[in-house]
Amino acid sequence: MTIHGLNKLTLLDFPGHMACTIFTGYCNMRCPFCHNAPLVLFPETQPELSQTEFFDFLERRRGLLEGVCVSGGEPTLAPDLLPFLEKIKSLGFLVKLDTNGTNPSLLREAVAGELLDYIAMDIKSSPSHYAKAAGISDFCADSVIESADFLMGAGIPYEFRTTVVRGLHDAKIFETIGEWLDGARAYYLQAFRPGKNLISNFLGVKEEFSIFSQDELNTFLALLTPHFGMVGLRGSD
């Protein structure tokens, strides 16, 4: 398990808990709006934190921190993710996993092994528009659909979330997402923020992506509200 970053304290990443966040490298998507291009495209150039250093840090934070958020990149690509989670749990910490949902079998195994306490799964778009939002022309959303279906019946706290980007999303897409994930526990919209480390900048994507206004975001929220136990907006002005 290669760790490419550590946020030593977050009050936001793990709902209801004081936590730290670690970042793994690589991803099997190329979402043009992703702001972690170096971590996704060439993580070998990024600083590394050894597992020994990380677990020494956790030992020192026992009784202070409650949980660990495992983010990326896409953490489920790491072949040793499950034993890594087991070790975190053995120290008494809660674990939250951020994932794009492309590895439903690993999610099932981790939940069955009681290695996860919260899962945040990215929903890039409605199924028929997934390829463009994921930046993979032939992307098939079947694995994502399977993971979403699993989480909705797994009995573990979870949320779905979508980064909202002008050029990739519109009202019809959110109507479709609401129908697809109807009855889910929680769904959050995350406001897109431009930046120099967007994957689109590194891959030479020609399309323009920009932010929606607050009123437009509120319109999307209104479309989604009837379908979810909880809806919310993060990162807006």
Side-chain angles (χ1 to χ4, degrees):
M1 184 80 176
T2 304
I3 301 169
H4 288 287
L6 169 64
N7 179 2
K8 294 183 178 180
L9 176 64
T10 174
L11 303 178
L12 300 175
D13 290 350
F14 198 149
H17 298 285
M18 293 180 61
C20 65
T21 301
I22 62 167
F23 300 90
T24 66
Y26 296 107
C27 185
N28 50 353
M29 291 185 178
R30 294 295 182 266
C31 308
F33 54 86
C34 176
H35 63 274
N36 281 331
L39 195 62
V40 168
L41 299 175
F42 29 84
E44 66 280 357
T45 68
Q46 303 302 297
E48 292 185 14
L49 179 72
S50 72
Q51 287 197 36
T52 298
E53 291 174 300
F54 172 64
F55 284 111
D56 285 347
F57 163 79
L58 281 189
E59 287 282 5
R60 295 194 301 271
R61 293 301 188 276
R62 292 175 78 171
L64 299 174
L65 293 179
E66 299 170 275
V68 177
C69 305
V70 182
S71 191
E74 174 49 42
T76 65
L77 295 178
D80 54 347
L81 177 63
L82 294 181
F84 180 75
L85 299 181
E86 287 177 359
K87 188 168 182 179
I88 295 174
K89 293 290 289 183
S90 73
L91 295 176
F93 291 93
L94 302 173
V95 176
K96 176 196 174 222
L97 177 70
D98 293 342
T99 181
N100 61 23
T102 54
N103 195 340
S105 61
L106 185 140
L107 291 182
R108 292 178 188 277
E109 190 173 353
V111 170
E114 299 183 343
L115 301 179
L116 298 174
D117 300 283
Y118 195 98
I119 299 173
M121 178 175 155
D122 293 322
I123 300 295
K124 306 300 182 181
S125 189
S126 59
S128 62
H129 292 83
Y130 234 86
K132 184 176 181 181
I136 307 291
S137 60
D138 60 349
F139 184 83
C140 174
D142 288 353
S143 60
V144 173
I145 293 170
E146 182 180 343
S147 290
D149 288 346
F150 167 67
L151 290 187
M152 290 173 68
I156 181 175
Y158 69 93
E159 67 179 57
F160 297 125
R161 60 193 188 183
T162 299
T163 299
V164 190
V165 186
R166 187 186 301 279
L168 291 175
H169 302 108
D170 56 29
K172 181 59 179 176
I173 283 175
F174 287 112
E175 288 176 355
T176 303
I177 290 174
E179 294 167 358
W180 165 29
L181 300 175
D182 184 67
R185 174 185 179 274
Y187 185 93
Y188 293 94
L189 298 182
Q190 300 180 155
F192 168 67
R193 287 290 179 264
K196 66 178 182 179
N197 282 331
L198 296 180
I199 283 183
S200 58
N201 295 337
F202 284 77
L203 298 184
V205 176
K206 302 300 181 182
E207 289 192 60
E208 291 291 328
F209 301 111
S210 59
I211 64 176
F212 282 102
S213 70
Q214 184 70 50
D215 286 345
E216 289 169 316
L217 293 171
N218 287 338
T219 297
F220 298 152
L221 282 176
L223 292 172
L224 294 163
T225 296
H227 297 284
F228 300 98
M230 179 187 304
V231 297
L233 178 62
R234 294 171 175 154
S236 64
D237 295 330

